[in-house]
Amino acid sequence: GQQLNQSPQSMFIQEGEDVSMNCTSSSIFNTWLWYKQDPGEGPVLLIALYKAGELTSNGRLTAQFGITRKDSFLNISASIPSDVGIYFCAVLTGANNLFFGTGTRLTVIP
Amino acid sequence: DTGVSQDPRHKITKRGQNVTFRCDPISEHNRLYWYRQTLGQGPEFLTYFQNEAQLEKSRLLSDRFSAERPKGSFSTLEIQRTEQGDSAMYLCASSATEPEAFFGQGTRLTVV
């Protein structure tokens, strides 16, 4: 079955540091999205990517859609305590629903 | 409109009881999705509506689960004869023609 592997699974960083996480697939997908989820809440959309090689920014967040269409990266610059949460990548499947990755849990130490 | 609204936020029920959850999508969104999320996992797709038509159903959606969107606006998800394995967060999401789905805060179900 399809899988989206995210790495790292978890990371602990100092406030102010930059963060990088990635998401890989064994299959090609044409739309990639990044979500952030706080405990007890639904996921919140951060960035959507539609074109291979595309680099998109949203404030301190930057995401890239890999040229092979099998991966994506999310970078967070100058992390702050409210960046804490679980970051999920997701892809749009042929059945018009989202398939989510395994998540990267981010902890920011003040 | 402030976003996708789900009710209730929390539900505790005894095994074997039926439960129903409601989702009110963002008003101009014609697509509505239900997902289930268990602890430590990403959301898993259950079913998808375009307007009032249910177009996709996951194999996760057993016969005890039914979802409706009668007028193409709000949706309900019913679970009959609940089992302990049904304990999870049930998430609703909506989208317009773009694939970007916006999620509600979820309904956390605990079956005891």
Side-chain angles (χ1 to χ4, degrees), chain A residues 22-61:
Chain A
N22 72 339
C23 180
T24 59
S25 167
S26 56
S27 304
I28 289 173
F29 292 99
N30 293 318
T31 302
W32 291 68
L33 303 98
W34 284 92
Y35 285 84
K36 176 178 181 269
Q37 187 173 29
D38 292 332
E41 302 292 327
V44 173
L45 179 65
L46 299 175
I47 291 180
L49 301 158
Y50 298 102
K51 192 175 173 183
E54 177 183 7
L55 188 72
T56 298
S57 292
N58 178 9
R60 294 179 296 105
L61 277 60

Side-chain angles (χ1 to χ4, degrees), chain A residues 35 37 40-42 50 96 98, chain B residues 9 33 35 37 100-101 104-105:
Chain A
Y35 285 84
Q37 187 173 29
E41 302 292 327
Y50 298 102
N96 280 317
L98 294 177
Chain B
R9 289 291 310 275
Y33 310 82
Y35 287 79
Q37 187 177 26
E100 300 164 21
Q105 293 178 301

Side-chain angles (χ1 to χ4, degrees), chain B residues 69-104:
Chain B
R69 195 183 183 197
K71 297 181 181 177
S73 56
F74 74 92
S75 175
T76 57
L77 177 69
E78 182 184 17
I79 309 174
Q80 295 182 324
R81 304 180 305 281
T82 51
E83 302 172 356
Q84 284 189 317
D86 296 332
S87 295
M89 173 82 92
Y90 289 84
L91 293 161
C92 176
S94 70
S95 70
T97 53
E98 298 86 2
E100 300 164 21
F102 295 86
F103 283 81

Side-chain angles (χ1 to χ4, degrees), chain A:
Chain A
Q2 57 194 5
Q3 277 191 317
L4 282 180
N5 295 310
Q6 290 188 243
S7 65
Q9 278 189 313
S10 62
M11 47 196 320
F12 293 78
I13 60 163
Q14 207 72 37
E15 182 178 356
E17 288 183 349
D18 296 344
V19 173
S20 184
M21 60 188 78
N22 72 339
C23 180
T24 59
S25 167
S26 56
S27 304
I28 289 173
F29 292 99
N30 293 318
T31 302
W32 291 68
L33 303 98
W34 284 92
Y35 285 84
K36 176 178 181 269
Q37 187 173 29
D38 292 332
E41 302 292 327
V44 173
L45 179 65
L46 299 175
I47 291 180
L49 301 158
Y50 298 102
K51 192 175 173 183
E54 177 183 7
L55 188 72
T56 298
S57 292
N58 178 9
R60 294 179 296 105
L61 277 60
T62 302
Q64 182 156 28
F65 186 169
I67 197 74
T68 64
R69 292 183 286 162
K70 289 185 176 182
D71 59 8
S72 178
F73 299 85
L74 177 70
N75 296 316
I76 306 171
S77 63
S79 58
I80 59 178
S82 62
D83 290 334
V84 163
I86 303 177
Y87 291 80
F88 288 102
C89 63
V91 293
L92 184 67
T93 72
N96 280 317
N97 59 71
L98 294 177
F99 182 79
F100 282 81
T102 49
T104 292
R105 182 181 295 273
L106 177 65
T107 301
V108 178
I109 303 164

